[in-house]
Amino acid sequence: MQNRRVLLARRPRGGVSQADFRIEEGPLPQPAPGEVLVKNLWLSLDPYMRGRMSDAKSYVKGVELGEVMVGQTVGEVLESKHPALKTGDKVLTQLGWQLYGVSRDVSKIDAARAPLSYYLGILGMPGMTAYFGLKEIGQPRPGETLVVSAASGAVGSVVGQLAKLWGCRAVGIAGGAAKCDYVKRELGFDACVDYKAGDLAAALKDACPKGVDVYFDNVGGSIFDTLLARMNLHSRVVVCGLISDYNATEPYAIRNWRCVLVNRIKLQGMIVFDWKERYGEALKALAGYLGEGRLRYRESVVEGLENAPGGLIALLKGENFGKQLVKLA
Ligand SMILES: NC(=O)c1ccc[n+]([C@@H]2O[C@H](COP(=O)([O-])OP(=O)(O)OC[C@H]3O[C@@H](n4cnc5c(N)ncnc54)[C@H](OP(=O)(O)O)[C@@H]3O)[C@@H](O)[C@H]2O)c1
């Protein structure tokens, strides 16, 4: 058996391209005492990976040139020298873009509770982001209006459904009629605005007749700017992601700052791992809703490690429809 790894070959300027990655083959790593050898089954592709390809200062250090691309995987233990894990256990890892890896830092997951891939999405980091961002920063109250951008995606789809479950009016923003249709019909949002269709400000006014109390921002840029002008007095903005800027060489310059002052809007950035001590709480809540059939979920799957670069490139262009994954085995 040979290992295959995707390495960062070059730091992109602007958009990501295939030439920014290199695929390498090599021998299987051997587990040291306390470690497991894992065969990765699913790799998560996430927008934050664009940031890790850069050497700009951020909340976590970037990937070095020649290193394996960072990423969460779900895999199966092939060999264990870890006291609490045995061969065949299914685990959540940080092993990155490779078929096999060794680690002592893995968490066992319950394969009977949900499909394994869900631990990278609705029951994983994106689900935790939606839960804590909305609950702790958005602080929605029943009867309020919530708007979330990238509403059909991994984080956004959970945010809007939780807002509905917690008694709010949920309005999505998504790119294109098919995604908006899914957000309304399948996910049960009250409305969804297609930001690619034209006048976003007017469409938001129609969709949010009482203004916006919580905006969960996954995209930043002109959508965030437009939302600022629709926010109510004492409303909250969860600054979760800026995907519209990730490939930009110049950040978008916000124009509507005056609205923040006039309406005493509270804006707070969030990074999911600030809540890592409470992941169990979110997992219990999300798995509970899922088990009761009260949360819907969708995945976008590419097959094979060699297609991971193309999957990330497509994700950053919004071509995914649901949580983006790579099926490795
Ligand atoms: N702070 C944290 O701890 C944390 C954790 C997880 C994720 N995030 C952030 O949350 C956001 C969503 O992540 P996700 O994993 O759930 O991804 P996702 O929503 O499943 O996929 C990304 C979506 O972003 C939208 N998009 C792409 N380019 C865009 C643009 N230029 N303008 C507007 N929308 C664009 C696309 O949807 P449309 O086709 O609808 O435009 C695309 O499908 C990202 O910004 C990510 O960085 C933050």
Side-chain angles (χ1 to χ4, degrees):
M1 277 190 294
Q2 284 280 97
N3 197 8
R4 295 190 90 192
R5 300 143 37 103
V6 180
L7 313 178
L8 179 64
R10 191 178 74 173
R11 299 203 186 281
R13 297 269 168 264
V16 179
S17 75
Q18 293 280 352
D20 300 326
F21 305 92
R22 189 173 77 242
I23 296 186
E24 184 185 81
E25 300 218 342
L28 242 53
Q30 296 300 314
E35 290 185 338
V36 282
L37 170 66
V38 177
K39 176 183 183 179
N40 289 327
L41 304 172
W42 292 94
L43 166 67
S44 178
L45 293 180
D46 297 273
Y48 76 81
M49 291 168 173
R50 175 65 184 85
R52 302 290 171 85
M53 298 175 79
S54 153
D55 55 6
K57 190 168 180 292
S58 188
Y59 59 96
V60 173
K61 198 173 143 302
V63 177
E64 295 295 338
L65 292 177
E67 270 185 1
V68 177
M69 275 293 293
V70 69
Q72 274 199 315
T73 72
V74 159
E76 180 175 327
V77 174
L78 289 189
E79 185 184 341
S80 179
K81 293 185 177 169
H82 188 292
L85 294 165
K86 58 181 191 315
T87 302
D89 281 347
K90 304 296 187 294
V91 288
L92 181 67
T93 90
Q94 294 286 348
L95 284 169
W97 298 27
Q98 56 183 339
L99 296 183
Y100 301 90
V102 292
S103 177
R104 63 186 65 239
D105 184 22
V106 301
S107 338
K108 191 169 164 179
I109 54 178
D110 181 357
R113 174 153 58 183
L116 290 176
S117 59
Y118 282 33
Y119 290 90
L120 297 172
I122 191 164
L123 299 182
M125 185 277 281
M128 308 286 140
T129 304
Y131 180 89
F132 291 113
L134 183 61
K135 184 174 177 184
E136 300 298 338
I137 298 179
Q139 300 187 351
R141 291 185 282 269
E144 289 190 329
T145 298
L146 162 120
V147 174
V148 58
S149 44
S152 72
V155 175
S157 62
V158 183
V159 169
Q161 292 182 89
L162 287 178
K164 285 295 293 176
L165 286 167
W166 296 343
C168 297
R169 174 176 170 79
V171 175
I173 300 177
K179 286 186 178 179
C180 286
D181 204 46
Y182 165 74
V183 167
K184 279 185 292 185
R185 287 178 205 274
E186 294 282 323
L187 303 181
F189 286 36
D190 296 287
C192 188
V193 172
D194 177 1
Y195 71 93
K196 293 181 175 168
D199 189 343
L200 177 62
L204 275 172
K205 199 169 176 185
D206 283 348
C208 308
K210 293 185 187 167
V212 179
D213 301 294
V214 181
Y215 174 47
F216 195 109
D217 188 21
N218 282 320
V219 304
S222 65
I223 295 178
F224 169 66
D225 215 359
T226 306
L227 250 299
L228 283 180
R230 295 298 312 151
M231 301 298 293
N232 290 335
L233 188 67
H234 298 306
S235 54
R236 286 82 66 201
V237 178
V238 185
V239 182
C240 174
L242 305 170
I243 195 167
S244 71
D245 258 358
Y246 291 170
N247 278 333
T249 43
E250 278 295 316
Y252 179 90
I254 301 294
R255 299 161 62 107
N256 283 324
W257 278 115
R258 185 174 176 277
C259 303
V260 177
L261 173 67
V262 171
N263 287 315
R264 289 79 121 189
I265 302 171
K266 202 190 245 182
L267 287 112
Q268 188 176 331
M270 78 147 304
I271 298 294
V272 62
F273 51 64
D274 289 349
W275 282 276
K276 64 173 179 295
E277 309 304 332
R278 287 175 56 194
Y279 281 176
E281 169 196 327
L283 183 60
K284 191 170 168 214
L286 294 167
Y289 289 137
L290 201 60
E292 292 163 6
R294 298 168 82 192
L295 282 180
R296 307 293 290 266
Y297 180 60
R298 175 178 182 132
E299 296 176 334
S300 190
V301 177
V302 296
E303 304 253 349
L305 183 69
E306 62 284 1
N307 292 317
L312 181 62
I313 292 166
L315 171 67
L316 293 166
K317 290 183 186 160
E319 289 168 12
N320 64 308
F321 193 162
K323 168 66 203 159
Q324 184 65 59
L325 297 161
V326 184
K327 191 172 185 201
L328 298 174

